[in-house]
Amino acid sequence: MKSIDYLKELTKFEHRGSATKNERQAAEYILQELKKMGYKVEKQTFKTTRDNLYMLPLQVGVLLFICGFFSQMYGGPLEIAAFLLSLFAIGLLLLEISGKPVETSIMPKFLSQNVFTSFDESRSKRIIVSAHYDTQRGSLMFHPKIVDKLSVIYNISYIGFGLIPIGILLNIFNLDVIASVILYIGLIIVFANIIFMAVCEVTGRYTQGANDNGTGTALTLALANYYINHKDKFPDDVDMVFLFTGSEETGERGMKNFIKKYRKKLTLDTKFIILDNLGTGKITYLEGEGMIFYKRAGKMLLDIAEEMVKGHDGKIQKMKNLLLPTDALPAIAAGFDAIAFLGKDENGRLGNYHWHTDTIENVDTELLSYEEEFFKEYLVKVAQRLN
């Protein structure tokens, strides 16, 4: 089967929302397809929240607003406790975007799962090709008239969050005037963020997820099918693993849980190749991950991508990073080499990103076919170089 055939099957689901029944059914579909190809397949289950994109900033914002409001209005002997609590709230946010496998949300947990082809322990080197198969909820945040301004919105939000502990600290040292100004600005920004996130949480509804990330999942299935029928093209001592992660949209929970459980089985020269949002634009590889804590992609993986640019007539490009991370971030944070490939236009836009137009009709099927051949070539080159 070709990637477009797998994509058609995946988009028969109305959505594949993180930790939902639809996601579990999609996982079962992927598992059965891999078994048909002849793979021994494993399923890793874990529990996670159904949303962190909206709820985590909302939780952090509420906690910071309470701390800042208390300091502004009352002060007194409990102000040190408010300062420490505000640092705790900031710490939760920093942990979440660091890629580390630490749970940061207090929201209810539901069942999710990863599906992957079993490790071949007899082989000394390993490449993991991965795609998440869950879908996000589109909301006001990703409205076509707003999505290009997301980096500005996020930066303003981070500044507002940071002003709260700074203002409280200045109050502790009795610098009342400047503390009051900083807290006032911080509280306005945080309150606006709370309202915005609350609206997104309440009104958000799942997308079909044809591009994000039906395309990456379909390509990974097609590559798995190619590999098992063309093992002669790959070195004998390189183990190819195909990993399909659940709940990436809740903060890379699938990849974080995979690495947490199987890290001891992975040597440090394991390479992760992440396929995500590949249905529009040009093939784009990211030089790194993370908006605040920037981590560079694996050098060998970048070098091979750079070499392949020359032979593909302007159809491949590179960009520094994304605003929101991919599944490559937890792998890099754990010390592994990883690289993420996405489909972006020249201005860095992802097609129909987290919006309700993310349907199979809006996927560039010619691009998908082209990518299938590109990644076959890329995987062979990485395996040979690793060997």
Side-chain angles (χ1 to χ4, degrees), residues 184-365:
Y184 184 72
I185 295 171
L187 285 169
I188 290 174
I189 294 173
V190 170
F191 183 74
N193 183 271
I194 290 171
I195 297 300
F196 183 65
M197 289 297 175
V199 169
C200 291
E201 173 64 26
V202 171
T203 62
R205 56 187 177 88
Y206 289 114
T207 67
Q208 186 189 73
N211 188 30
D212 186 12
N213 185 30
T215 53
T217 303
L219 282 164
T220 304
L221 281 168
L223 292 170
N225 194 22
Y226 173 76
Y227 171 70
I228 204 165
N229 290 298
H230 297 86
K231 286 189 176 181
D232 57 303
K233 296 182 182 293
F234 294 81
D236 291 337
D237 66 340
V238 176
D239 181 25
M240 297 291 297
V241 174
F242 297 91
L243 166 65
F244 301 84
T245 58
S247 295
E248 186 268 355
E249 299 288 4
T250 66
E252 310 90 54
R253 290 304 191 269
M255 184 61 81
K256 287 175 180 177
N257 277 278
F258 177 81
I259 290 174
K260 188 175 182 179
K261 182 172 181 179
Y262 296 103
R263 183 171 184 170
K264 291 182 179 178
K265 288 190 173 185
L266 305 175
T267 60
L268 279 179
D269 62 357
T270 299
K271 310 299 180 187
F272 285 80
I273 299 168
I274 310 301
L275 306 183
D276 199 347
N277 275 275
L278 283 154
T280 63
K282 295 182 177 183
I283 300 173
T284 306
Y285 62 93
L286 301 183
E287 295 180 287
E289 295 277 342
M291 184 178 178
I292 294 180
F293 305 114
Y294 185 73
K295 299 179 184 296
R296 191 163 174 79
K299 184 179 185 305
M300 185 190 84
L301 299 172
L302 286 170
D303 287 346
I304 295 172
E306 182 68 32
E307 290 166 12
M308 289 182 67
V309 168
K310 300 168 187 174
H312 285 268
D313 194 28
K315 295 183 178 180
I316 319 297
Q317 62 182 357
K318 64 181 177 182
M319 291 190 175
K320 184 180 179 183
N321 63 341
L322 288 181
L323 176 64
L324 297 173
T326 73
D327 268 344
L329 179 61
I332 298 172
F336 299 106
D337 282 353
I339 190 171
F341 288 90
L342 302 100
K344 306 184 82 174
D345 67 17
E346 292 84 351
N347 297 312
R349 296 188 188 95
L350 292 165
N352 305 293
Y353 186 49
H354 292 173
W355 194 240
H356 309 296
T357 51
D358 186 7
T359 61
I360 192 168
E361 293 79 14
N362 292 321
V363 168
D364 184 342
T365 55

Side-chain angles (χ1 to χ4, degrees), residues 75-134:
L78 292 179
E79 203 148 38
I80 293 177
F83 174 68
L84 294 175
L85 190 58
S86 70
L87 290 183
F88 172 74
I90 295 290
L92 287 178
L93 189 63
L94 294 177
L95 268 176
E96 179 62 33
I97 62 178
S98 72
K100 299 293 184 182
V102 180
E103 185 53 69
T104 56
S105 177
I106 62 171
M107 299 305 292
K109 309 295 190 295
F110 302 90
L111 191 67
S112 185
Q113 55 285 305
N114 296 323
V115 175
F116 60 98
T117 57
S118 298
F119 298 154
D120 185 343
E121 303 289 356
S122 68
R123 302 191 179 196
S124 60
K125 297 175 173 36
R126 183 166 291 125
I127 297 170
I128 297 178
V129 185
S130 181
H132 76 89
Y133 60 92
D134 60 314

Side-chain angles (χ1 to χ4, degrees), residues 60-80:
V60 170
V62 168
L63 197 54
L64 286 171
F65 187 84
I66 291 170
C67 294
F69 185 79
F70 176 87
S71 178
Q72 182 81 320
M73 298 301 294
Y74 303 106
L78 292 179
E79 203 148 38
I80 293 177

